[in-house]
Amino acid sequence: MPEVRTPVHVEGEVVATKRVGAHRHLTLTAPGVPERFRAGNFVAVSVPGHVARRALWIHRVRASSAFGPTLDVVLEARGAGTSWLAAQPVGARVPITGPLGRAFALPKDAVSCLLVGEGYAAAPLFPLAERLRERGCAVSLVVSAPDESRLLSALEARRAVRSVTVLTADGSVGQRGRVADHVDELLRRADADVVYATGPAEVLRASAAAAERAGAWSQVGLEVSALCGTGLCHGCPLPVVGEDGVDRVVRACTEGPVVRGDRVRWDAL
């Protein structure tokens, strides 16, 4: 039978919460979501008193635990909505819709892959690395951040990747610099056929441009400002070039958040 991918809307429960640097890691029950998950999917969480939902990358799913299937998300408290989510204690109930969005496409053959992520937005690259490794791909991971406190730990990924490179803009850990400063060399060293990137627009643009210069294929996962998360409100416009070469605007939450890097109209984003 075909896999079921239709999103579900459920009441989830916070079963674990911890602060790691500038990030908050939440483990949630969300019946039906972990079973439908693919790397690159996100969930939309409803916040009391707010019309707009908060879109969160799915960092990990567990098929079984003491609470049944669970999912992990990583967030950085930046406003009222994410601050409310970060403050939720164990046992809190949270309305969740997911999994949402277009996931990363996996290569049919065993190829060399470079994964580039910045800050908490690197979260979906960890389950992606596991899927690629299962297909026999050689995986190199780059995690970057402005400083050490906003770096998503690469330790857990070392089992699934060939190499891990850490970049911080202030040089507090790893190599000093930003993705744009190093990505061409990192791509060359990995001899990558495919580049996957998540993070701020400048990280995605630099990664996609480096892939194009090297003759590699790229996919980028854009952060979605999810007013609804389901495509109904058209509140997350994404300027792209279609397969027919015509400029158009699509919805980042449904036609994305993962798209080909060479299809994004970066100057219009």
Side-chain angles (χ1 to χ4, degrees), residues 2-268:
E3 293 181 280
V4 177
R5 295 295 184 189
T6 306
V8 295
H9 182 68
V10 298
E11 185 178 55
E13 180 182 351
V14 179
V15 297
T17 175
K18 64 178 179 179
R19 184 176 183 85
V20 181
H23 303 142
R24 174 65 60 173
H25 294 237
L26 298 177
T27 300
L28 308 164
T29 62
V33 177
E35 296 88 337
R36 292 167 165 81
F37 166 75
R38 289 185 296 167
N41 288 151
F42 67 96
V43 291
V45 178
S46 300
V47 177
H50 294 256
V51 174
R53 298 173 177 178
R54 296 302 182 271
L56 304 173
W57 291 113
I58 299 174
H59 181 37
R60 181 191 296 106
V61 298
R62 293 184 177 89
S64 62
S65 73
F67 307 96
T70 61
L71 61 91
D72 290 0
V73 296
V74 182
L75 60 94
E76 185 175 328
R78 291 181 167 180
T82 48
S83 295
W84 178 84
L85 282 169
Q88 293 310 291
V90 170
R93 311 294 291 188
V94 181
I96 299 171
T97 303
L100 297 167
R102 185 189 296 266
F104 290 109
L106 302 177
K108 295 179 180 179
D109 301 316
V111 296
S112 179
C113 302
L114 179 68
L115 280 53
V116 182
E118 178 156 315
Y120 65 87
L125 298 181
F126 289 74
L128 173 63
E130 294 175 2
R131 300 290 83 75
L132 291 170
R133 183 65 176 271
E134 289 170 359
R135 288 176 173 247
C137 295
V139 181
S140 301
L141 173 67
V142 181
V143 285
S144 69
D147 53 59
E148 185 176 6
S149 70
R150 284 180 279 180
L151 191 70
L152 195 60
S153 174
L155 294 177
E156 63 188 272
R158 293 189 185 277
R159 298 187 306 273
V161 302
R162 179 175 62 182
S163 67
V164 177
T165 300
V166 174
L167 303 175
T168 50
D170 65 355
S172 52
V173 65
Q175 298 181 48
R176 179 187 295 272
R178 301 183 181 277
V179 167
D181 304 324
H182 296 277
V183 66
D184 285 285
E185 172 61 17
L186 291 167
L187 199 157
R188 186 194 64 77
R189 278 168 30 195
D191 192 23
D193 303 290
V194 183
V195 177
Y196 297 92
T198 54
E202 61 267 21
V203 171
L204 307 185
R205 186 174 190 171
S207 300
E212 191 166 358
R213 286 191 291 270
W217 187 59
S218 67
Q219 293 182 63
V220 297
L222 294 108
E223 293 192 74
V224 176
S225 298
L227 299 182
C228 73
T230 60
L232 294 176
C233 73
H234 292 258
C236 52
L238 172 60
V240 298
V241 178
E243 295 286 349
D244 55 5
V246 176
D247 291 355
R248 52 173 51 88
V249 176
V250 299
R251 297 163 297 178
C253 69
T254 51
E255 283 79 23
V258 175
V259 294
R260 280 176 47 177
D262 62 342
R263 293 294 183 186
V264 179
R265 292 190 284 130
W266 297 105
D267 290 336

